[in-house]
Amino acid sequence: QSYNYFITTITVVLFVTYPVMIRRILTIFSCHDLGEGKSYLRADYSIVCWEGDHQTWAFSFGLPAIIMWGLGIPTVGLCALLKNRHNLQDLDTRIRYGFLYNGYRSASFYWELIIVYRKFIIAALAVSLSHWDSHIQAMIATGFIIFSIFVHQDQQPFTRREFNRLETLAMFVPGITIYFGIFFNTGTLTSSWRLALFVLILLANFTFLIIWSILAIHTIRLLLKRKFPATMGKLTTRGATVLIERREEPGLERQFSRELSLHRSFSGDRRTGKDVRSRSRTSSLKKVIG
């Protein structure tokens, strides 16, 4: 068990720190072209890109770090899940790698790694296209986000419908922000239109925050209800509380439907038996009277 928890700790630490590390690594390649055929490092404009020490650091540290950290970590995680894809419900596998696939459908157990790759691609695009026109950068990023939304809508990887909708919204809001942000750099909009676009972007992000908060509260209530059924279920009977809690779990809805059908069939058989006995007694009484 100690080895399992050690693997869990390493997995959580690597994937939680992954976005921060990627941003730090990519700053080595983030340069700003100021004309005269030279570009300067955005983090320090005293450093000329692709000359001297910067070129040495970029190829000796930056490029290997991108390959090993940016691509290596999600690839290792994906290989670990593929290796254990037939044992995902085993206790040891759930302890070690459950952080990566809990909440996803069995057919989409790898989707967390798809999300990691998507974030890496967006960050890499932002750096590699930094010397391009901002409109082109925004259009490429928007196109990639739209493609990601279509793929997500087709796969529906989460077990709960609310999470699928929230993930779609989480991609849609940045796409809207980037797309409308293009118009701020055109220089042809009046101040009124700029204010309207700003309000629209603000409302989109605020709506996402509200929906995320509601879903988070609902999830916390569900977890508390499962852990403390006696406390959280005061307004309902214990049987109804257990039924509600179990129906929230994926894969058990069919079982409840089957049990309910059997119960109804059994109740129907009992009622049918009573009717038969009643008719039998009525016939016997008529014979006696007759």
Side-chain angles (χ1 to χ4, degrees), residues 180 183-184 188-200:
F180 286 119
F183 296 97
F184 282 94
T188 58
L189 294 178
T190 63
S191 58
S192 299
W193 277 106
R194 287 175 177 268
L195 179 61
L197 288 177
F198 173 76
V199 171
L200 184 61

Side-chain angles (χ1 to χ4, degrees), residues 1-229:
Q1 291 295 330
S2 59
Y3 177 74
N4 290 338
Y5 289 118
F6 173 75
I7 296 296
T8 302
T9 304
I10 295 298
T11 302
V12 172
V13 169
L14 287 178
F15 280 91
V16 168
T17 59
Y18 179 85
V20 178
M21 293 299 297
I22 286 299
R23 285 196 296 268
R24 293 294 184 182
I25 293 171
L26 290 176
T27 55
I28 300 177
F29 302 95
S30 181
C31 299
H32 186 195
D33 189 3
L34 297 179
E36 300 180 355
K38 289 186 177 182
S39 58
Y40 297 85
L41 193 67
R42 292 180 183 272
D44 186 355
Y45 277 90
S46 66
I47 299 176
V48 181
C49 290
W50 309 114
E51 293 183 6
D53 292 340
H54 179 266
Q55 187 174 7
T56 302
W57 277 97
F59 286 104
S60 63
F61 173 77
L63 190 60
I66 287 179
I67 296 174
M68 296 176 61
W69 193 279
L71 297 176
I73 288 181
T75 302
V76 170
L78 180 62
C79 291
L81 291 184
L82 290 175
K83 181 180 179 181
N84 296 276
R85 63 185 181 276
H86 300 300
N87 306 313
L88 295 179
Q89 301 304 319
D90 292 352
L91 180 59
D92 289 341
T93 306
R94 292 181 68 88
I95 293 176
R96 294 179 186 179
Y97 309 113
F99 173 78
L100 298 176
Y101 64 85
N102 285 337
Y104 293 100
R105 295 187 299 110
S106 57
S108 303
F109 63 91
Y110 54 86
W111 201 259
E112 183 67 25
L113 286 312
I114 299 296
I115 295 177
V116 173
Y117 280 124
R118 185 182 72 216
K119 294 178 179 179
F120 171 75
I121 291 174
I122 291 177
L125 286 175
V127 172
S128 61
L129 302 179
S130 60
H131 61 285
W132 288 25
D133 184 75
S134 60
H135 297 151
I136 298 177
Q137 296 180 44
M139 293 303 295
I140 292 176
T142 303
F144 180 75
I145 291 174
I146 292 174
F147 171 77
S148 301
I149 290 176
F150 275 112
V151 174
H152 178 81
Q153 287 294 102
D154 178 69
Q155 295 296 319
Q156 296 289 300
F158 292 99
T159 55
R160 295 185 60 180
R161 182 173 55 185
E162 296 85 353
F163 290 159
N164 285 313
R165 292 177 177 175
L166 186 63
E167 181 68 17
T168 301
L169 188 61
M171 291 185 286
F172 178 76
V173 170
I176 288 292
T177 304
I178 294 173
Y179 179 76
F180 286 119
I182 298 174
F183 296 97
F184 282 94
N185 296 327
T186 58
T188 58
L189 294 178
T190 63
S191 58
S192 299
W193 277 106
R194 287 175 177 268
L195 179 61
L197 288 177
F198 173 76
V199 171
L200 184 61
I201 294 173
L202 188 64
L203 285 176
N205 286 270
F206 184 72
T207 301
F208 170 75
L209 180 62
I210 293 297
I211 295 176
W212 180 87
S213 301
I214 293 174
L215 183 59
I217 293 173
H218 174 72
T219 303
I220 292 173
R221 288 182 59 189
L222 180 61
L223 292 175
L224 291 176
K225 188 183 293 185
R226 289 176 177 175
K227 192 170 184 179
F228 307 104

